[in-house]
Amino acid sequence: MAGEVPDLNQLGHRAPRDVTMRLRHEVARLLQRDSTSFPGAQPVSFSKHHIQDNLLQQDYYVCEKSDGLRCLMYLTAERNQDQHEEQAVYMITRKNEYFYINDIYFPRANDIKEFNRDCLIDGELVFSKSPETGKSEIKYLMFDCLAAGFNTLLVDRFYDKRLAYLKSFIYEPFKRLCTDYPEDTIVFPFKATMKHMDFSYGLQQVFDVLQPKLGHISDGLIFTCRTSPYVSGTDRNILKWKPSEENSVDFLLTLDIPVYQPDGFVNYDTKPRFQLNVWYGGDSNKPFGELYLTDDEWETIKALNEPVDERVVECYKDKEDRWRYLRFRDDKTNGNHISTVESVLISIDNPVTKDDLLDAVPIIRKNWKLRDHERQLKHQQHQQHQQKQQGVLKRPIEGNEMPPRKK
């Protein structure tokens, strides 16, 4: 069963429509995009061919996959009632909604009195148990940086460079602020931190050391290519791996409620039929299957006193091949696209196991080291070539020696 996720309405408030439209255009200009759609990258489900085609051929980072609320953080500047500029922090959901976050501040690296602006960070909000107090707290786990200022667009940089900017320009100044002013920053609605990244051949460390110590729920791994740019929308160089029992699909749920015959009145006392619909793009949703709910599960859902019809629901397959309820996904407007559903079904029917990944680690490490050695050789050759060219240009002309003529 999936865990609860933080509620943005409790951390701030949703921006009005006119403000949201303005912010969408601001972010599009910042990223030099024509589209004002949600700018976040979406991973693809891990299949067996990804070991050979991706992990063995390219450098990948790996981190744990958190079970939280995915959202981008936008740091900008707005004028207050006194017409003075101050920092404004917004969270952007997958629905492309903007939530203004109260009482939090991200300073610049060189001056705590100056605030970061024109920055866009990718991350996930989670409930995490504090190792010091044992109490639950909200954390924003940052794992990518699209822009670190209007003149510092990062989407075309390698992933390790984006992480370096994220650490130096966003995370470390925020961390110093919290360390130096603990009484002032304790009121922040969440703590911002960076996700721990390992090289792809460090999988054993992630499984055995990192995941057991997490204060939040983790349901898999994320592999991100080191040399790929940041891609808005589906990015086939970001791979989402889950154990077979954790694989899930998001569907649009619709209820087929029976009616009394022959008068046609709706029969709310009888459990309805729960139809699961797959998204085909645009406004197109087509029936795919049915959700199996026990009577007790249905009573629990009804007790929420919330709308159920035409709501996105996350489901998993049980051992009897039935789709079962995990949770509602109110952060999403549509269920998964049919291509994603088909990919997840492949992962369910032909799963990549933890042992499959660990068995590949030795050759992943070997190939990474070979590529690294080749990069070092090319770098040395480039440096030698430059030094040689500089030596030719700087060599003094002796006596009546003339430079050779071009033939």
Side-chain angles (χ1 to χ4, degrees):
M1 185 69 70
E4 295 296 322
V5 298
D7 184 356
L8 287 173
N9 289 294
Q10 296 181 2
L11 304 180
H13 62 268
R14 182 177 172 181
R17 179 175 175 78
D18 60 329
V19 175
T20 296
M21 295 301 294
R22 172 176 61 81
L23 293 170
R24 288 174 181 173
H25 282 91
E26 280 185 18
V27 169
R29 286 195 298 271
L30 178 64
L31 300 180
Q32 300 178 11
R33 296 178 72 213
D34 295 328
S35 173
T36 59
S37 62
F38 177 67
Q42 303 292 349
V44 298
S45 295
F46 202 104
S47 297
K48 285 195 172 180
H49 72 88
H50 286 127
I51 294 178
Q52 176 62 44
D53 296 344
N54 295 74
L55 299 188
L56 298 186
Q57 306 300 326
Q58 302 176 77
D59 298 347
Y60 269 78
Y61 283 95
V62 62
C63 66
E64 58 86 16
K65 180 187 175 299
S66 308
D67 187 13
L69 180 66
R70 163 77 183 289
C71 46
L72 273 65
M73 182 170 66
Y74 177 41
L75 308 181
T76 185
E78 293 180 343
R79 293 190 180 275
N80 58 24
Q81 293 179 346
D82 299 327
Q83 295 303 305
H84 294 141
E85 281 196 335
E86 59 185 14
Q87 188 180 60
V89 179
Y90 287 93
M91 288 297 183
I92 311 172
T93 70
R94 277 189 283 204
K95 288 184 177 180
N96 211 17
E97 299 168 331
Y98 283 68
F99 282 80
Y100 178 83
I101 305 301
N102 302 317
D103 302 322
I104 195 164
Y105 182 74
F106 288 84
R108 298 187 61 161
N110 54 355
D111 189 350
I112 195 174
K113 296 180 181 179
E114 296 290 330
F115 57 81
N116 265 316
R117 59 192 296 173
D118 301 318
C119 300
L120 192 61
I121 298 99
D122 204 346
E124 196 158 23
L125 284 166
V126 300
F127 284 117
S128 182
K129 184 177 291 186
S130 170
E132 292 84 11
T133 65
K135 296 181 180 180
S136 179
E137 59 186 2
I138 299 176
K139 285 187 177 180
Y140 183 57
L141 308 177
M142 303 181 291
F143 52 74
D144 213 328
C145 188
L146 290 71
F150 203 85
N151 296 319
T152 313
L153 183 61
L154 302 175
V155 290
D156 291 329
R157 305 285 187 95
F158 284 2
Y159 187 43
D160 50 3
K161 298 298 182 184
R162 304 199 302 269
L163 289 174
Y165 271 94
L166 176 60
K167 181 179 181 181
S168 298
F169 285 81
I170 309 297
Y171 171 61
E172 289 186 342
F174 180 83
K175 183 180 178 181
R176 283 197 298 271
L177 177 70
C178 294
T179 301
D180 295 343
Y181 300 91
E183 294 182 357
D184 296 317
T185 57
I186 195 173
V187 299
F188 285 179
F190 58 78
K191 291 183 178 179
T193 187
M194 284 186 68
K195 266 198 175 183
H196 179 80
M197 297 287 169
D198 275 288
F199 296 147
S200 53
Y201 56 79
L203 274 171
Q204 193 80 57
Q205 175 86 0
V206 178
F207 281 128
D208 295 348
V209 179
L210 177 64
Q211 285 187 323
K213 293 182 178 179
L214 292 174
H216 58 271
I217 297 174
S218 175
D219 59 357
L221 305 170
I222 296 290
F223 295 88
T224 306
C225 184
R226 185 187 69 84
T227 57
S228 292
Y230 190 97
V231 175
S232 298
T234 301
D235 186 349
R236 300 197 174 278
N237 287 310
I238 303 178
L239 311 174
K240 175 180 65 177
W241 176 85
K242 288 185 175 184
S244 57
E245 65 274 12
E246 295 284 353
N247 275 302
S248 61
V249 174
D250 298 330
F251 295 104
L252 181 67
L253 176 65
T254 56
L255 305 187
D256 183 6
I257 303 176
V259 297
Y260 288 110
Q261 297 297 338
D263 51 22
F265 289 109
V266 176
N267 181 5
Y268 289 106
D269 295 326
T270 303
K271 187 165 66 175
R273 175 173 166 263
F274 306 95
Q275 182 171 289
L276 300 174
N277 303 275
V278 169
W279 184 48
Y280 279 78
D283 295 326
S284 177
N285 288 280
K286 297 182 180 180
F288 186 83
E290 289 189 28
L291 175 65
Y292 175 81
L293 286 177
T294 65
D295 292 341
D296 288 342
E297 287 172 335
W298 175 230
E299 292 300 323
T300 300
I301 290 175
K302 285 196 298 182
L304 297 175
N305 291 320
E306 298 174 352
V308 176
D309 195 29
E310 296 192 355
R311 195 170 173 185
V312 177
V313 62
E314 183 177 356
C315 305
Y316 70 98
K317 267 195 170 185
D318 65 14
K319 294 180 180 180
E320 298 181 38
D321 208 35
R322 300 174 300 190
W323 289 109
R324 305 297 299 273
Y325 167 83
L326 269 176
R327 63 178 173 178
F328 288 112
R329 296 300 305 268
D330 294 327
D331 58 318
K332 304 183 73 172
T333 303
N334 296 300
N336 291 137
H337 190 270
I338 182 60
S339 59
T340 300
V341 176
E342 292 172 344
S343 178
V344 173
L345 288 175
I346 292 174
S347 298
I348 292 174
D349 296 335
N350 191 23
V352 179
T353 67
K354 176 181 175 180
D355 288 339
D356 291 332
L357 291 174
L358 292 177
D359 287 345
V361 163
I363 192 167
I364 291 174
R365 180 188 291 108
K366 177 183 176 183
N367 288 2
W368 182 304
K369 298 298 184 183
L370 287 173
R371 289 190 298 269
D372 193 43
H373 181 65
E374 292 174 358
R375 284 192 293 268
Q376 291 181 19
L377 285 178
K378 288 182 180 179
H379 180 68
Q380 291 174 0
Q381 292 171 356
H382 178 69
Q383 285 187 320
Q384 291 171 358
H385 178 72
Q386 284 188 321
Q387 291 171 357
K388 185 176 180 181
Q389 290 295 322
Q390 291 172 356
V392 170
L393 291 174
K394 292 180 180 179
R395 184 171 63 87
I397 298 177
E398 299 180 359
N400 294 324
E401 180 184 354
M402 296 294 292
R405 293 182 179 180
K406 296 181 178 179
K407 296 183 179 180

